[in-house]
Amino acid sequence: MFFLPYNPEDRFLRTFPMPDPHTQTMQCMEVWGGNQPADSGVIMPGLDAWVYSRPHGDATGGGDVHYVSSCATGRITRLLVADVSGHGAAVSETAGKLRSLMRRYVNYIDQTRFVRALNDEFIALAQEQRFATAVAATFFGPTHSLALCNAGHPPPLFYEARTGTWQVLEQARSPSSGDPSNMPLGILDMTQYEQFALRLREGDMVLCYTDALIEAKDKKGEWLGTPGLLEIVRGIDVSEPGEFIKRLLAAIAAIRPGNLEDDDVTALLFRHNGLVPRISFFKKAMAPLRVLAAAFGSLRPGAGPAPWPEMSLANLAGAKAKPVSGKVGK
């Protein structure tokens, strides 16, 4: 299970009860998630999120990896859904390395260096024939901006509350220059990863998932694919987003015997809840101290890297970050 930051002293959260009174809280700059089973939901400034993950064969860990992190002030939320090749202890070790990268870049608004580091990590694992597809998303609360980067992963689905419609969320492609782009992580060292941004409005939702959902079969025995999944999603009631994933998976499983049984299954749904982070002077003053404390903690043997902040005006001075669009690569 993963849990996101919640502070009962924050007045803008008090009217939004947690989904479970026993839900744990996550301290600043911590990362939650992994490749273990999960079925939980949480409320935070800007986003509500729900995750369901079931490794194949009810194992304790699978090839699907999910992570969520929050920065020192709660303005930056990063979400990652990845499908790593393989199973067992090897994938668990890889999941640990991804957690370390999530922590290293937890205070970065721009996810460019994070995505580069992900690819570098899998390039280093190339001899083990380990690669991954992944979707990385970064939500910046003050501007309601969501940046997305897709590395060979099934495209997320986007629900626009204003129109009540679902659509595939992917960037319009310009004519290719011939360079490889948006390949799975660990395939090519020089791969470029395009990223794009959109502004979320209250009630908008994004669904990220792994390939088990689109490789499920329809009544004719053919793969659903993204179009088939989109058709099913459009028939699911969105008035109770906490039940949405379970209803979606039940609908897929009911189409044909064996659906969702032969692979890891992971789905992550997040929704803009209309809450804007209000960063108090005390919280701003404490943020550098938290970063320094974490940096000193990283000196311990076996500790992860220091979560240094992004050296940008938007991050250090609280300026409005511009939506990002472009290529991530070398």
Side-chain angles (χ1 to χ4, degrees), residues 94-320:
T94 302
K97 294 179 179 179
L98 298 187
R99 176 191 290 272
S100 182
L101 290 177
M102 288 285 289
R103 183 175 184 273
R104 167 65 183 87
Y105 295 102
V106 69
N107 292 313
Y108 275 59
I109 298 175
D110 186 353
Q111 64 184 5
T112 298
R113 294 185 65 181
F114 170 64
V115 176
R116 287 177 181 168
L118 285 176
N119 192 50
D120 288 346
E121 181 62 44
F122 280 94
I123 289 295
L125 295 172
Q127 292 183 348
E128 302 176 21
Q129 297 184 333
R130 194 161 306 286
F131 63 92
T133 65
V135 169
T138 300
F139 179 74
F140 187 56
T143 60
H144 311 281
S145 178
L146 180 73
L148 280 164
C149 182
N150 190 328
H153 200 78
L157 302 183
F158 173 63
Y159 176 77
E160 185 178 30
R162 181 175 58 88
T163 60
T165 59
W166 283 94
Q167 59 186 289
V168 178
L169 189 58
E170 54 188 352
Q171 186 176 25
R173 298 296 178 84
S174 58
S176 174
S177 62
D179 295 331
S181 180
N182 289 70
M183 297 283 286
L185 300 166
I187 300 296
L188 292 175
D189 189 18
M190 298 301 292
T191 296
Q192 292 183 321
Y193 294 98
E194 295 179 346
Q195 62 175 351
F196 63 101
L198 66 155
R199 295 192 185 277
L200 298 183
R201 297 183 175 89
E202 184 174 355
D204 287 353
M205 297 191 294
V206 176
L207 176 68
C208 300
Y209 52 93
T210 51
D211 58 9
L213 276 68
I214 57 174
E215 291 180 358
K217 296 182 178 180
D218 61 20
K219 294 181 179 180
K220 297 180 180 180
E222 299 177 352
W223 282 1
L224 289 175
T226 303
L229 177 63
L230 182 61
E231 182 179 353
I232 296 173
V233 163
R234 286 171 172 167
I236 306 297
D237 183 11
V238 299
S239 63
E240 296 181 278
E243 300 296 320
F244 184 88
I245 293 177
K246 294 178 182 178
R247 291 173 179 173
L248 172 60
L249 297 181
I252 295 174
I255 295 175
R256 188 179 179 88
N259 275 352
L260 305 178
E261 295 180 3
D262 297 329
D263 200 358
D264 303 319
V265 176
T266 296
L268 172 67
L269 177 72
F270 55 95
R271 177 187 66 175
H272 191 328
N273 57 26
L275 303 178
V276 180
R278 296 181 177 87
I279 312 302
S280 66
F281 175 80
F282 176 77
K283 185 174 291 187
K284 289 180 181 178
M286 288 298 296
L289 298 179
R290 295 190 187 102
V291 174
L292 287 174
F296 280 115
S298 68
L299 299 177
R300 298 193 306 269
W308 295 113
E310 176 188 358
M311 303 304 291
S312 69
L313 179 63
N315 199 30
L316 300 179
K320 297 294 186 180

Side-chain angles (χ1 to χ4, degrees), residues 46-70:
L47 293 179
D48 301 335
W50 298 266
V51 66
Y52 177 89
S53 186
R54 188 194 68 210
H56 176 246
D58 295 324
T60 57
D64 289 356
V65 179
H66 61 277
Y67 280 119
V68 178
S69 67
S70 182

